[in-house]
Amino acid sequence: MKGAVEAVVGAQWGDEGKGRVVDALGPGADVFARYQSGADEGHTVVVGGKKYVFQVLPSGMLYPGKVCVIGNGAVIDPGALLGELGGLQDQGMDRARLIVSYGAHVILPYHRSLDLARERLRGKRWRGSGGAGPAYIDKFNRCGIRVEDLLDTDDLREKLELNLEEKNLILTRIYDSEPLSFDETFELAAEWGKALAPYAGDGGLALDEAVRDGQRVIIEGVHGTMLDLDHGAYPFVELSSPTAAGGCAGLGIGPGAVSRVIGVAKAYCTRAGEGPFPTEDGGELGAFLRERGRESGASPERPRRCGPLDLVALKFAARINGMTAMALTKLDVLSGLEKIPVCTSYETAVGAEARFPCPGELSAARPVYERLDGWKEDISGCRTFEELPSRAREFVEFVEKFCRIPVEIMGVGPGRDQAIFRGPGG
Ligand code: GDP
């Protein structure tokens, strides 16, 4: 699909395998763009048996000659970005041209300190964001530091002086934490500015030119739809909008340019943090999915919560994103299960139907399951839909029928080639 924008968005609670889907679409695409978040959010791509984890860079960095854009909607940690870039450069794998938008906001050391201090004050239930939260707050408060500010040291000095004076008051008087040194903060920010200068540019304009030139642009979300600041189960949400519309806003492209919205979902569900998770399975099935699917997040001490596929939530994601296609990853993880439960509705204690994402209703909701027949075969070598066992095909067709969205991509393993394409433009 040339001359159009395709959005790849998380249709669950994140970690759906968006990075590998973007990577799989890579050969046919010209431009890759990231539009929101953050720090400490991993996209994992496996190429030739080697694992690459991108916290900040778009997944397309591994493709020679492509353009990768980080949009205004992103909040970036330049230290992490430059570290990631340096790592790729050392391996000769920084193959794409990178554009970091002038308007992207920067996470500074005081954002991390504020995040940690808030985490300490609010206890375990508060999940830190690697500084992204306070950086987003500054953005909305119109005192954020943007990439363009790092490039002009006089301007940077003035803005940082004002910011640090205020942040140090908050850190010391409210949180009883250590203040930060202005000189150290300024030096670091100015150094980042120098290192980022060759990459700084107008991401929105580059995307517009690409579309006008008939190029194929893929925009990739971080997190998942259920964590959307506006539409997720608030307050258990992230700080930005991971939806397709969030992509348009964060990159500066008109919604009319988006021709395909691919929602990425695992063949089951996981959730990394606190908050309502209707199909969570604390028993054998949850343990099976966690082990088989290697669902343990960045640190092994934080295993993800696991459970069966939640079609009520997936249908909600389809609506919120205007999904036109689905990518169903980790189908291989389900091999060997005799029966595969899938949630088709929620029931309240009095038997009424509950909705997604209303948290009050959700915490009391009981998932209602249909139990589909499983398959025994190892499907990791299948490369066409027809090669899949009939029960695996029936599972996929059930999901499609329920959500009324075609499943155009299936993941049968983490490798670049372990994917099945059924739709247009693969
Ligand atoms: P993202 O943030 O949505 O890109 O997802 P993550 O990278 O956090 O997590 C997805 C994990 O699942 C990665 O380790 C992938 O290598 C792995 N993965 C993705 N697709 C498949 C698949 O189809 N099968 C298996 N077994 N693993 C997969």
Side-chain angles (χ1 to χ4, degrees), residues 226 230-234 276 316 319 346 355-362:
M226 309 320 164
D230 291 306
H231 302 288
Y234 193 88
F316 166 81
R319 170 164 68 82
Y346 309 142
R355 289 174 304 126
F356 193 95
C358 179
E361 284 180 13
L362 269 195

Side-chain angles (χ1 to χ4, degrees), residues 310-339:
D310 184 342
L311 289 178
V312 181
L314 191 52
K315 211 169 181 178
F316 166 81
R319 170 164 68 82
I320 292 295
N321 287 291
M323 272 158 54
T324 61
M326 251 190 283
L328 205 55
T329 61
K330 296 198 154 184
L331 207 52
D332 52 305
V333 172
L334 301 184
S335 295
L337 287 173
E338 190 128 340
K339 289 281 179 189

Side-chain angles (χ1 to χ4, degrees), residues 264-401:
V264 185
K266 287 182 202 180
Y268 51 95
C269 283
T270 62
R271 178 161 197 164
E274 298 263 338
F277 181 16
T279 64
E280 180 169 16
D281 187 304
E284 237 173 74
L285 179 61
F288 172 89
L289 295 171
R290 195 172 305 113
E291 197 193 320
R292 266 290 197 86
R294 300 172 185 238
E295 300 294 352
S296 54
S299 67
E301 312 83 65
R302 289 195 65 180
R304 292 179 187 136
R305 300 155 71 192
C306 295
L309 184 61
D310 184 342
L311 289 178
V312 181
L314 191 52
K315 211 169 181 178
F316 166 81
R319 170 164 68 82
I320 292 295
N321 287 291
M323 272 158 54
T324 61
M326 251 190 283
L328 205 55
T329 61
K330 296 198 154 184
L331 207 52
D332 52 305
V333 172
L334 301 184
S335 295
L337 287 173
E338 190 128 340
K339 289 281 179 189
I340 305 173
V342 289
C343 169
T344 51
S345 63
Y346 309 142
E347 230 175 52
T348 64
V350 290
E353 192 161 337
R355 289 174 304 126
F356 193 95
C358 179
E361 284 180 13
L362 269 195
S363 32
R366 191 178 65 84
V368 178
Y369 290 111
E370 272 206 41
R371 287 169 207 285
L372 308 182
D373 288 327
W375 59 92
K376 288 196 175 62
E377 298 87 335
D378 172 3
I379 59 170
S380 59
C382 296
R383 294 295 175 267
T384 64
F385 188 64
E386 291 65 36
E387 279 168 44
L388 287 173
S390 60
R391 285 173 170 174
R393 286 190 310 230
E394 280 159 22
F395 175 85
V396 173
E397 283 162 356
F398 188 91
V399 174
E400 288 184 311
K401 207 164 158 205

